[in-house]
Coordinates of all heavy atoms in Angstrom, one line a residue:
M16 N 34.6 -35.5 -8.1 CA 34.9 -34.1 -8.8 C 36.1 -33.7 -8.4 O 36.6 -33.9 -7.3 CB 33.7 -33.2 -8.3 CG 32.6 -32.9 -9.2 SD 31.7 -31.3 -8.8 CE 30.2 -31.9 -8.5
S17 N 36.8 -33.0 -9.3 CA 38.0 -32.4 -8.9 C 37.8 -31.1 -8.2 O 36.7 -30.6 -8.0 CB 38.7 -31.9 -10.2 OG 38.1 -30.8 -10.8
R18 N 38.9 -30.6 -7.5 CA 38.8 -29.4 -6.6 C 38.4 -28.2 -7.5 O 37.6 -27.4 -7.0 CB 40.2 -29.1 -6.1 CG 40.3 -27.9 -5.1 CD 41.7 -27.9 -4.6 NE 41.8 -26.7 -3.8 CZ 41.6 -26.4 -2.5 NH1 41.0 -27.4 -1.9 NH2 41.7 -25.2 -2.0
F19 N 38.8 -28.1 -8.7 CA 38.5 -27.0 -9.6 C 36.9 -27.1 -9.9 O 36.3 -26.0 -9.8 CB 39.1 -27.1 -10.9 CG 38.7 -26.1 -11.9 CD1 39.1 -24.8 -11.9 CD2 37.8 -26.5 -13.0 CE1 38.6 -23.7 -12.7 CE2 37.4 -25.5 -13.9 CZ 37.8 -24.1 -13.8
Q20 N 36.4 -28.3 -10.0 CA 35.0 -28.3 -10.4 C 34.2 -28.0 -9.1 O 33.1 -27.4 -9.2 CB 34.6 -29.9 -10.8 CG 35.0 -30.0 -12.2 CD 34.8 -31.6 -12.5 OE1 35.0 -32.5 -11.7 NE2 34.4 -31.8 -13.7
N21 N 34.6 -28.4 -7.8 CA 33.9 -28.1 -6.6 C 33.9 -26.5 -6.4 O 32.9 -25.8 -6.1 CB 34.6 -28.6 -5.4 CG 34.4 -30.1 -5.3 OD1 33.3 -30.6 -5.8 ND2 35.2 -30.8 -4.6
V22 N 35.1 -25.9 -6.7 CA 35.1 -24.4 -6.6 C 34.2 -23.6 -7.6 O 33.4 -22.9 -7.4 CB 36.6 -23.9 -6.7 CG1 36.6 -22.2 -6.7 CG2 37.4 -24.4 -5.6
A23 N 34.3 -24.3 -8.9 CA 33.3 -23.6 -9.8 C 31.8 -23.7 -9.5 O 31.1 -22.8 -9.8 CB 33.6 -24.3 -11.2
C24 N 31.5 -25.0 -9.1 CA 30.0 -25.3 -8.7 C 29.7 -24.3 -7.4 O 28.6 -23.7 -7.5 CB 29.8 -26.7 -8.4 SG 29.8 -27.7 -9.9
G25 N 30.5 -24.3 -6.6 CA 30.2 -23.4 -5.5 C 30.1 -21.8 -5.8 O 29.3 -21.1 -5.3
S26 N 30.9 -21.4 -6.7 CA 30.9 -20.1 -7.2 C 29.6 -19.8 -8.0 O 29.0 -18.7 -7.7 CB 32.1 -19.8 -8.0 OG 33.2 -19.8 -7.4
V27 N 29.2 -20.6 -8.7 CA 27.9 -20.5 -9.5 C 26.8 -20.5 -8.5 O 25.9 -19.7 -8.6 CB 27.7 -21.6 -10.6 CG1 26.4 -21.7 -11.2 CG2 28.8 -21.5 -11.7
A28 N 26.7 -21.4 -7.5 CA 25.6 -21.4 -6.6 C 25.7 -20.1 -5.7 O 24.6 -19.4 -5.5 CB 25.9 -22.7 -5.6
L29 N 26.8 -19.5 -5.4 CA 26.9 -18.4 -4.6 C 26.3 -17.2 -5.5 O 25.6 -16.3 -4.8 CB 28.3 -18.0 -4.3 CG 28.6 -16.8 -3.3 CD1 27.9 -16.8 -2.1 CD2 30.0 -16.6 -3.2
F30 N 26.6 -17.0 -6.7 CA 26.2 -16.0 -7.6 C 24.7 -16.1 -7.8 O 24.0 -15.2 -7.9 CB 27.0 -16.0 -8.9 CG 28.3 -15.3 -8.7 CD1 29.5 -16.1 -8.9 CD2 28.5 -14.0 -8.3 CE1 30.8 -15.7 -8.9 CE2 29.7 -13.6 -8.3 CZ 30.9 -14.2 -8.4
A31 N 24.1 -17.3 -7.9 CA 22.7 -17.5 -8.1 C 22.0 -17.1 -6.9 O 20.9 -16.6 -6.9 CB 22.5 -19.1 -8.4
L32 N 22.5 -17.4 -5.6 CA 21.9 -17.0 -4.4 C 22.0 -15.5 -4.1 O 21.0 -15.0 -3.5 CB 22.5 -17.8 -3.2 CG 22.1 -19.2 -3.2 CD1 22.8 -19.9 -1.9 CD2 20.6 -19.4 -2.9
A33 N 22.9 -14.9 -4.7 CA 23.2 -13.4 -4.6 C 22.0 -12.6 -5.1 O 21.5 -11.6 -4.6 CB 24.5 -13.0 -5.2
G34 N 21.1 -13.2 -6.1 CA 20.1 -12.6 -6.6 C 18.7 -12.9 -5.7 O 17.8 -12.1 -5.9
C35 N 18.9 -13.6 -4.7 CA 17.7 -13.9 -3.8 C 17.8 -12.9 -2.6 O 18.4 -13.2 -1.6 CB 17.8 -15.3 -3.4 SG 17.5 -16.6 -4.7
V36 N 17.1 -11.9 -2.7 CA 17.0 -10.8 -1.7 C 15.7 -10.7 -1.2 O 14.8 -10.7 -1.9 CB 17.7 -9.5 -2.1 CG1 17.5 -8.4 -1.1 CG2 19.0 -9.7 -2.7
E37 N 15.5 -10.8 0.3 CA 14.2 -10.5 0.8 C 13.8 -9.1 0.8 O 14.7 -8.4 1.4 CB 14.1 -11.2 2.1 CG 12.8 -11.0 2.8 CD 12.8 -11.8 4.3 OE1 13.8 -12.4 4.6 OE2 11.9 -11.4 4.9
D38 N 12.6 -8.8 0.3 CA 12.2 -7.3 0.5 C 11.5 -7.2 1.8 O 10.3 -7.8 1.9 CB 11.3 -7.0 -0.7 CG 10.8 -5.7 -0.7 OD1 11.2 -4.8 0.1 OD2 10.0 -5.3 -1.6
T39 N 11.9 -6.4 2.6 CA 11.3 -6.2 4.0 C 10.4 -5.0 3.9 O 9.9 -4.6 5.0 CB 12.5 -6.1 5.1 OG1 13.2 -4.8 4.6 CG2 13.3 -7.2 5.2
G40 N 9.8 -4.6 2.9 CA 8.9 -3.6 2.7 C 9.4 -2.1 3.1 O 8.6 -1.3 3.7
G41 N 10.5 -1.8 2.7 CA 11.1 -0.4 3.0 C 10.3 0.6 2.1 O 10.5 1.8 2.6
S42 N 9.6 0.3 1.1 CA 9.1 1.3 0.4 C 7.6 0.9 0.2 O 7.2 -0.2 0.2 CB 9.8 1.6 -0.9 OG 9.6 0.4 -1.7
S43 N 6.7 1.9 -0.1 CA 5.4 1.7 -0.4 C 5.0 1.4 -1.9 O 5.8 1.8 -2.7 CB 4.5 2.9 0.1 OG 4.6 3.1 1.5
M44 N 4.0 0.5 -2.0 CA 3.5 0.3 -3.4 C 3.2 1.7 -4.1 O 2.5 2.5 -3.5 CB 2.4 -0.6 -3.4 CG 1.7 -0.8 -4.8 SD 0.1 -1.7 -4.6 CE 0.8 -3.5 -4.2
P45 N 3.6 1.9 -5.3 CA 3.4 3.1 -6.1 C 1.8 3.2 -6.3 O 1.1 2.2 -6.6 CB 4.1 3.1 -7.3 CG 4.5 1.8 -7.6 CD 4.4 1.0 -6.1
V46 N 1.2 4.4 -6.5 CA -0.1 4.7 -6.9 C -0.1 4.6 -8.3 O 0.8 5.0 -9.2 CB -0.5 6.1 -6.5 CG1 -1.9 6.4 -6.9 CG2 -0.6 6.1 -5.0
A47 N -1.1 4.0 -9.0 CA -1.2 3.8 -10.5 C -1.2 5.2 -11.1 O -1.9 6.1 -10.6 CB -2.5 3.0 -10.8
S48 N -0.6 5.3 -12.2 CA -0.5 6.6 -12.9 C -1.9 7.1 -13.4 O -2.1 8.2 -13.5 CB 0.5 6.5 -14.1 OG 0.0 5.6 -15.0
S49 N -2.8 6.1 -13.6 CA -4.1 6.6 -14.1 C -5.0 6.9 -12.9 O -6.2 7.3 -13.3 CB -4.7 5.4 -14.8 OG -4.9 4.2 -14.1
S50 N -4.7 6.8 -11.7 CA -5.5 7.1 -10.5 C -5.5 8.7 -10.1 O -4.7 9.4 -10.6 CB -5.0 6.5 -9.2 OG -5.0 5.1 -9.2
P51 N -6.6 9.1 -9.5 CA -6.5 10.5 -9.1 C -5.4 10.7 -8.1 O -4.9 9.8 -7.7 CB -7.9 10.6 -8.3 CG -8.7 9.3 -8.5 CD -7.6 8.4 -9.2
P52 N -5.2 12.0 -7.7 CA -4.1 12.2 -6.8 C -4.2 11.5 -5.5 O -5.3 11.3 -5.1 CB -4.2 13.8 -6.7 CG -5.0 14.3 -7.7 CD -5.9 13.2 -8.2
F53 N -3.1 11.2 -4.9 CA -3.0 10.5 -3.6 C -2.3 11.4 -2.6 O -1.2 11.8 -2.7 CB -2.3 9.1 -3.7 CG -2.2 8.2 -2.6 CD1 -3.4 7.4 -2.4 CD2 -1.4 8.2 -1.7 CE1 -3.6 6.6 -1.4 CE2 -1.4 7.4 -0.6 CZ -2.6 6.5 -0.4
I54 N -3.2 11.9 -1.7 CA -2.6 12.9 -0.7 C -2.0 12.1 0.6 O -2.7 11.4 1.2 CB -3.8 13.8 -0.2 CG1 -4.4 14.4 -1.4 CG2 -3.3 14.9 0.8 CD1 -3.7 15.2 -2.3
E55 N -0.7 12.5 0.9 CA -0.1 12.0 2.0 C 0.3 13.1 2.9 O 0.9 14.1 2.4 CB 1.0 11.0 1.8 CG 0.4 9.7 1.1 CD 1.6 8.6 0.8 OE1 2.0 8.2 2.1 OE2 2.0 8.3 -0.2
G56 N 0.3 13.2 4.2 CA 0.8 14.1 5.1 C -0.1 15.3 5.4 O 0.3 16.0 6.3
S57 N -1.2 15.3 4.8 CA -2.1 16.4 5.0 C -3.4 15.9 5.6 O -4.0 14.9 5.0 CB -2.5 17.2 3.8 OG -3.4 18.2 4.0
F58 N -4.0 16.4 6.7 CA -5.2 15.8 7.4 C -6.2 16.9 7.6 O -6.0 17.8 8.3 CB -4.7 15.1 8.7 CG -3.8 14.0 8.5 CD1 -2.4 14.2 8.6 CD2 -4.1 12.8 8.3 CE1 -1.5 13.3 8.4 CE2 -3.4 11.8 8.2 CZ -2.0 12.0 8.3
G59 N -7.4 16.7 6.9 CA -8.4 17.7 7.0 C -9.8 17.1 7.2 O -10.7 17.9 7.6
A60 N -9.9 15.9 7.1 CA -11.3 15.2 7.3 C -11.5 15.0 8.8 O -10.7 15.0 9.5 CB -11.3 13.8 6.6
S61 N -12.8 14.9 9.1 CA -13.2 14.7 10.4 C -12.7 13.4 11.0 O -12.5 12.4 10.2 CB -14.7 14.7 10.6 OG -15.4 13.7 10.0
D62 N -12.8 13.2 12.3 CA -12.4 12.1 12.9 C -13.6 10.8 12.6 O -13.1 9.7 12.5 CB -12.4 12.1 14.4 CG -11.1 13.0 14.9 OD1 -10.2 13.0 14.2 OD2 -11.2 13.4 16.0
A63 N -14.7 11.3 12.5 CA -15.9 10.4 12.1 C -15.6 9.8 10.7 O -15.8 8.6 10.5 CB -17.2 11.1 12.2
A64 N -15.2 10.7 9.8 CA -14.9 10.3 8.4 C -13.7 9.3 8.4 O -13.8 8.2 7.7 CB -14.6 11.4 7.5
V65 N -12.7 9.6 9.0 CA -11.4 8.8 9.1 C -11.8 7.4 9.7 O -11.5 6.4 9.2 CB -10.3 9.5 9.8 CG1 -9.2 8.5 10.1 CG2 -9.9 10.7 9.2
A66 N -12.6 7.4 10.9 CA -12.9 6.2 11.6 C -13.7 5.2 10.6 O -13.6 4.0 10.7 CB -13.5 6.5 12.8
A67 N -14.6 5.9 10.0 CA -15.7 5.0 9.1 C -14.8 4.4 8.0 O -15.0 3.2 7.6 CB -16.7 6.0 8.6
C68 N -13.8 5.2 7.4 CA -13.1 4.5 6.3 C -12.1 3.5 6.9 O -12.1 2.4 6.1 CB -12.3 5.7 5.5 SG -13.3 6.8 4.6
R69 N -11.4 3.8 7.9 CA -10.5 2.9 8.4 C -11.3 1.6 8.9 O -10.8 0.4 8.5 CB -9.9 3.3 9.7 CG -8.8 2.4 10.3 CD -8.4 2.8 11.7 NE -7.7 4.0 11.7 CZ -6.4 4.1 11.7 NH1 -5.6 3.0 11.6 NH2 -5.8 5.4 11.7
Q70 N -12.4 1.6 9.4 CA -13.1 0.4 9.8 C -13.6 -0.4 8.7 O -13.5 -1.5 8.6 CB -14.4 0.9 10.5 CG -15.3 -0.2 11.1 CD -16.4 0.1 11.9 OE1 -16.8 1.3 12.0 NE2 -17.1 -0.8 12.6
Q71 N -14.1 0.2 7.5 CA -14.5 -0.4 6.4 C -13.4 -1.2 5.7 O -13.4 -2.3 5.3 CB -15.3 0.5 5.4 CG -15.8 -0.3 4.2 CD -16.9 0.4 3.5 OE1 -17.4 1.4 3.9 NE2 -17.3 -0.3 2.3
L72 N -12.2 -0.5 5.6 CA -11.1 -1.1 4.9 C -10.5 -2.2 5.7 O -10.1 -3.2 5.1 CB -10.1 -0.1 4.6 CG -8.9 -0.5 3.8 CD1 -9.3 -1.1 2.4 CD2 -7.9 0.7 3.6
S73 N -10.4 -2.0 7.1 CA -9.9 -3.1 7.9 C -10.9 -4.3 7.8 O -10.3 -5.4 7.8 CB -9.9 -2.7 9.3 OG -9.0 -1.7 9.6
A74 N -12.1 -4.2 7.5 CA -13.1 -5.3 7.4 C -12.8 -6.1 6.1 O -13.2 -7.2 6.0 CB -14.5 -4.9 7.6
Q75 N -12.4 -5.4 5.0 CA -12.2 -5.9 3.8 C -10.7 -6.4 3.4 O -10.6 -7.1 2.4 CB -12.6 -5.0 2.8 CG -14.2 -4.7 2.9 CD -14.7 -3.8 1.8 OE1 -14.0 -3.5 0.8 NE2 -15.8 -3.2 2.0
T76 N -9.8 -6.2 4.3 CA -8.4 -6.3 3.9 C -7.8 -7.0 5.1 O -8.2 -7.1 6.2 CB -7.7 -5.2 3.6 OG1 -7.6 -4.2 4.6 CG2 -8.2 -4.5 2.3
T77 N -6.6 -7.7 4.9 CA -5.6 -8.2 6.0 C -4.5 -7.3 5.9 O -4.0 -6.8 4.9 CB -5.4 -9.6 5.8 OG1 -4.7 -9.8 4.5 CG2 -6.7 -10.5 5.8
G78 N -3.8 -7.2 7.2 CA -2.6 -6.5 7.2 C -3.1 -5.1 7.9 O -4.3 -4.7 8.0
G79 N -2.1 -4.4 8.5 CA -2.5 -3.1 9.2 C -2.9 -2.1 8.2 O -2.4 -1.9 7.1
V80 N -3.8 -1.2 8.6 CA -4.3 -0.1 7.8 C -3.7 1.1 8.5 O -3.9 1.4 9.7 CB -5.9 0.0 7.9 CG1 -6.3 1.2 7.2 CG2 -6.4 -1.2 7.1
R81 N -2.9 1.9 7.6 CA -2.5 3.2 8.1 C -3.1 4.3 7.4 O -3.1 4.4 6.2 CB -0.9 3.3 7.8 CG -0.1 2.4 8.7 CD 1.4 2.6 8.3 NE 1.6 2.0 7.0 CZ 2.2 2.6 6.1 NH1 2.6 3.8 6.2 NH2 2.4 2.1 4.9
V82 N -3.8 5.4 8.1 CA -4.2 6.6 7.4 C -3.0 7.4 7.2 O -2.2 7.8 8.2 CB -5.3 7.3 8.3 CG1 -5.8 8.5 7.7 CG2 -6.4 6.3 8.6
V83 N -2.8 7.9 5.9 CA -1.6 8.6 5.6 C -2.0 10.1 5.2 O -1.1 10.9 5.0 CB -0.8 8.0 4.4 CG1 -0.2 6.7 5.0 CG2 -1.6 7.8 3.1
G84 N -3.3 10.4 5.1 CA -3.8 11.7 4.6 C -5.1 11.8 4.5 O -5.9 10.7 4.4
S85 N -5.8 13.0 4.4 CA -7.1 13.2 4.2 C -7.4 14.6 3.8 O -6.5 15.4 4.0 CB -7.9 12.8 5.4 OG -7.7 13.8 6.5
E86 N -8.5 14.8 3.1 CA -8.9 16.2 2.9 C -10.3 16.4 3.0 O -11.2 15.5 2.8 CB -8.4 16.5 1.4 CG -8.8 15.7 0.3 CD -8.2 15.9 -1.0 OE1 -7.5 17.0 -1.2 OE2 -8.3 15.1 -1.9
F87 N -10.8 17.6 3.5 CA -12.2 17.8 3.7 C -12.8 18.5 2.4 O -12.2 19.3 1.8 CB -12.3 18.8 4.8 CG -13.7 19.4 5.0 CD1 -14.7 18.6 5.5 CD2 -14.0 20.7 4.5 CE1 -16.1 19.1 5.7 CE2 -15.4 21.1 4.6 CZ -16.3 20.3 5.3
S88 N -14.1 18.1 2.2 CA -14.9 18.8 1.2 C -16.3 18.8 1.7 O -16.6 17.8 2.3 CB -14.6 18.0 -0.2 OG -15.7 18.4 -1.1
E89 N -17.0 19.8 1.2 CA -18.5 19.7 1.6 C -19.2 18.7 0.9 O -20.2 18.0 1.6 CB -19.1 21.1 1.4 CG -18.6 22.1 2.4 CD -19.3 23.3 2.1 OE1 -20.5 23.5 1.8 OE2 -18.6 24.4 2.5
A90 N -18.8 18.3 -0.2 CA -19.5 17.1 -0.9 C -19.1 15.8 -0.3 O -20.1 15.2 0.1 CB -19.1 17.2 -2.4
N91 N -17.8 15.5 -0.3 CA -17.4 14.3 0.3 C -15.9 14.5 0.7 O -15.2 15.1 0.0 CB -17.4 13.0 -0.6 CG -18.7 12.3 -0.7 OD1 -19.2 12.0 0.5 ND2 -19.0 11.7 -1.7
S92 N -15.6 13.8 1.9 CA -14.0 14.1 2.3 C -13.4 12.9 1.7 O -14.1 11.8 1.4 CB -14.0 14.0 3.9 OG -14.5 15.2 4.5
A93 N -12.1 12.9 1.5 CA -11.3 11.9 1.1 C -10.4 11.3 2.2 O -9.7 12.3 2.7 CB -10.6 12.3 -0.2
V94 N -10.2 10.1 2.3 CA -9.3 9.6 3.3 C -8.3 8.7 2.7 O -8.8 7.8 1.9 CB -9.9 8.9 4.4 CG1 -9.0 8.3 5.5 CG2 -10.9 9.8 5.2
Y95 N -7.1 8.9 2.8 CA -6.1 8.1 2.0 C -5.4 7.2 3.0 O -4.9 7.6 4.0 CB -4.9 9.1 1.3 CG -5.7 10.0 0.4 CD1 -6.2 11.2 0.8 CD2 -6.0 9.6 -1.0 CE1 -6.8 12.0 -0.1 CE2 -6.7 10.5 -1.8 CZ -7.0 11.7 -1.3 OH -7.7 12.5 -2.3
M96 N -5.3 5.9 2.6 CA -4.8 4.8 3.6 C -3.6 3.9 2.8 O -3.9 3.8 1.6 CB -5.8 4.0 4.1 CG -6.9 4.8 5.0 SD -8.4 4.0 5.4 CE -9.3 4.1 3.8
R97 N -2.8 3.3 3.5 CA -2.2 2.2 3.0 C -2.4 1.1 3.8 O -2.3 1.1 5.1 CB -0.7 2.7 3.0 CG -0.3 3.8 1.9 CD 1.1 4.0 1.7 NE 1.3 4.9 0.6 CZ 1.5 4.6 -0.5 NH1 1.3 3.4 -1.0 NH2 1.8 5.6 -1.5
V98 N -2.3 -0.2 3.2 CA -2.5 -1.5 3.7 C -1.5 -2.5 3.6 O -0.8 -2.5 2.6 CB -3.7 -2.0 3.2 CG1 -4.1 -3.4 3.7 CG2 -5.0 -1.2 3.4
G99 N -1.2 -3.1 4.8 CA -0.1 -4.1 4.8 C 1.3 -3.8 4.7 O 1.6 -2.6 4.7
E100 N 2.1 -4.7 4.6 CA 3.5 -4.6 4.7 C 4.0 -3.8 3.3 O 5.0 -3.1 3.4 CB 4.2 -6.0 4.6 CG 5.5 -5.9 5.0 CD 6.1 -7.5 5.2 OE1 5.7 -8.2 6.2 OE2 6.8 -7.9 4.2
N101 N 3.4 -4.0 2.3 CA 3.8 -3.4 1.1 C 3.1 -2.0 0.8 O 3.4 -1.3 -0.2 CB 3.5 -4.3 -0.2 CG 2.1 -4.4 -0.5 OD1 1.2 -4.0 0.3 ND2 1.7 -5.0 -1.7
G102 N 2.3 -1.5 1.7 CA 1.7 -0.2 1.6 C 0.8 0.0 0.4 O 0.8 1.0 -0.2
A103 N -0.1 -1.0 0.3 CA -1.1 -0.8 -0.9 C -2.0 0.4 -0.7 O -2.5 0.6 0.3 CB -1.9 -2.1 -0.9
P104 N -2.0 1.3 -1.7 CA -2.8 2.6 -1.6 C -4.2 2.5 -1.8 O -4.7 1.8 -2.8 CB -2.1 3.5 -2.7 CG -1.7 2.5 -3.7 CD -1.3 1.3 -3.0
W105 N -5.0 3.0 -0.9 CA -6.5 2.9 -1.0 C -7.0 4.4 -0.7 O -6.5 5.1 0.1 CB -7.1 2.1 0.1 CG -6.9 0.6 -0.2 CD1 -5.8 0.0 -0.1 CD2 -7.8 -0.2 -0.8 NE1 -6.0 -1.5 -0.4 CE2 -7.2 -1.4 -0.8 CE3 -9.1 -0.1 -1.3 CZ2 -7.8 -2.6 -1.5 CZ3 -9.7 -1.2 -1.8 CH2 -9.2 -2.5 -1.9
R106 N -8.1 4.8 -1.4 CA -8.8 6.1 -1.2 C -10.2 5.6 -0.7 O -10.8 4.8 -1.3 CB -8.7 6.9 -2.3 CG -9.5 8.3 -2.0 CD -9.6 9.1 -3.3 NE -10.6 8.6 -4.3 CZ -10.8 9.1 -5.4 NH1 -10.3 10.2 -5.8 NH2 -11.9 8.6 -6.1
C107 N -10.9 6.5 0.2 CA -12.2 6.4 0.6 C -12.8 7.7 0.5 O -12.3 8.7 1.1 CB -12.1 5.9 2.1 SG -13.7 5.7 2.9
L108 N -14.0 7.7 -0.2 CA -14.7 8.8 -0.3 C -15.9 8.8 0.8 O -16.5 7.7 0.7 CB -15.4 9.2 -1.7 CG -14.2 9.5 -2.7 CD1 -14.8 9.7 -4.1 CD2 -13.4 10.7 -2.3
V109 N -16.2 9.8 1.6 CA -17.0 9.6 2.7 C -17.7 10.9 3.0 O -17.0 11.8 2.9 CB -16.4 8.9 4.0 CG1 -15.3 9.8 4.5 CG2 -17.2 8.5 5.1
S110 N -19.0 10.9 3.6 CA -19.5 12.1 4.1 C -18.7 12.5 5.4 O -18.1 11.6 6.0 CB -21.0 11.9 4.5 OG -21.7 11.6 3.3
D111 N -18.7 13.7 5.5 CA -17.8 14.2 6.8 C -18.3 13.6 8.2 O -17.6 13.5 9.1 CB -17.7 15.7 6.8 CG -16.3 16.0 7.4 OD1 -15.3 15.5 7.1 OD2 -16.3 16.9 8.4
D112 N -19.6 13.3 8.2 CA -20.1 12.7 9.4 C -20.0 11.2 9.5 O -20.3 10.6 10.3 CB -21.6 13.0 9.5 CG -22.5 12.3 8.4 OD1 -22.0 11.5 7.5 OD2 -23.7 12.6 8.6
G113 N -19.1 10.6 8.5 CA -18.8 9.2 8.5 C -19.7 8.3 7.8 O -19.5 7.1 7.8
T114 N -20.7 8.8 7.2 CA -21.8 7.9 6.5 C -21.3 7.7 5.0 O -20.6 8.5 4.3 CB -23.2 8.5 6.5 OG1 -23.1 9.8 5.9 CG2 -23.7 8.6 7.9
N115 N -21.7 6.5 4.6 CA -21.5 6.0 3.2 C -20.0 6.0 2.5 O -19.8 6.6 1.6 CB -22.3 6.9 2.2 CG -23.8 6.8 2.5 OD1 -24.3 5.7 2.8 ND2 -24.4 8.0 2.4
P116 N -19.2 5.4 3.4 CA -17.8 5.3 2.9 C -17.8 4.4 1.6 O -18.3 3.3 1.6 CB -17.0 4.7 4.1 CG -18.0 3.9 4.8 CD -19.4 4.7 4.7
S117 N -17.0 4.9 0.6 CA -16.7 4.2 -0.7 C -15.3 4.1 -0.8 O -14.5 5.0 -1.1 CB -17.4 5.0 -1.7 OG -17.3 4.4 -3.0
L118 N -14.8 2.8 -1.1 CA -13.3 2.4 -1.2 C -13.1 2.2 -2.6 O -13.7 1.8 -3.4 CB -13.1 1.1 -0.4 CG -13.2 1.3 1.2 CD1 -13.0 -0.2 1.7 CD2 -12.2 2.2 1.8
M119 N -11.8 2.6 -2.9 CA -11.1 2.5 -4.2 C -9.6 2.2 -4.1 O -8.9 2.8 -3.5 CB -11.3 3.8 -5.0 CG -10.6 3.6 -6.4 SD -10.8 5.3 -7.1 CE -9.7 5.0 -8.6
F120 N -9.3 1.1 -4.8 CA -7.9 0.6 -4.7 C -7.1 1.5 -5.7 O -7.7 1.7 -6.8 CB -7.7 -0.8 -5.0 CG -6.2 -1.2 -5.2 CD1 -5.4 -1.3 -4.0 CD2 -5.7 -1.6 -6.3 CE1 -4.1 -1.7 -4.2 CE2 -4.5 -2.1 -6.5 CZ -3.6 -2.1 -5.3
M121 N -6.2 2.1 -5.3 CA -5.3 3.0 -6.3 C -4.0 2.6 -6.7 O -3.3 3.4 -7.4 CB -5.2 4.4 -5.4 CG -6.6 5.1 -5.1 SD -6.5 6.6 -4.4 CE -5.8 7.7 -5.8
G122 N -3.7 1.3 -6.5 CA -2.5 0.8 -6.9 C -2.6 0.2 -8.3 O -3.7 0.1 -8.8
S123 N -1.6 -0.2 -8.9 CA -1.5 -0.8 -10.2 C -1.9 -2.3 -10.0 O -1.2 -3.0 -9.2 CB -0.2 -0.6 -10.9 OG -0.3 -1.5 -12.1
E124 N -2.9 -2.8 -10.6 CA -3.2 -4.3 -10.5 C -2.0 -5.2 -10.9 O -1.9 -6.3 -10.4 CB -4.5 -4.7 -11.1 CG -5.7 -4.0 -10.7 CD -6.3 -4.6 -9.4 OE1 -5.9 -5.7 -9.0 OE2 -6.9 -3.8 -8.6
G125 N -1.3 -4.7 -11.8 CA -0.1 -5.5 -12.3 C 1.1 -5.4 -11.2 O 1.8 -6.3 -11.3
A126 N 1.1 -4.6 -10.3 CA 2.1 -4.5 -9.3 C 1.8 -5.5 -8.2 O 2.6 -5.8 -7.3 CB 2.2 -3.2 -8.6
L127 N 0.6 -6.1 -8.1 CA 0.3 -7.2 -7.1 C 1.0 -8.4 -7.2 O 1.3 -9.2 -8.0 CB -1.2 -7.4 -7.0 CG -2.1 -6.3 -6.7 CD1 -3.6 -6.5 -6.8 CD2 -1.9 -5.8 -5.2

């Protein structure tokens, strides 16, 4: 190969690799637009409700579970969590005493 061909091939390879960027998880997975509101930064549910939701989600997923918000209601409290490196959004409806936690994935299935 000539020197020109070597330089041209090297340049093409360099530009091709420039598009290969590792995502280190700097942002969280968005919540699906069809999902109910996702509360972050406000905490109102009891410790028992939060613990029950965190325990159930940890048992069903891999990756760290982070509680990012919650709200109290006499009917059911809601606990909002993010899972794993990509911050997959989950909501848990639970009695304030921690009984009957019910999980719902709130991200877009297409984003997985």
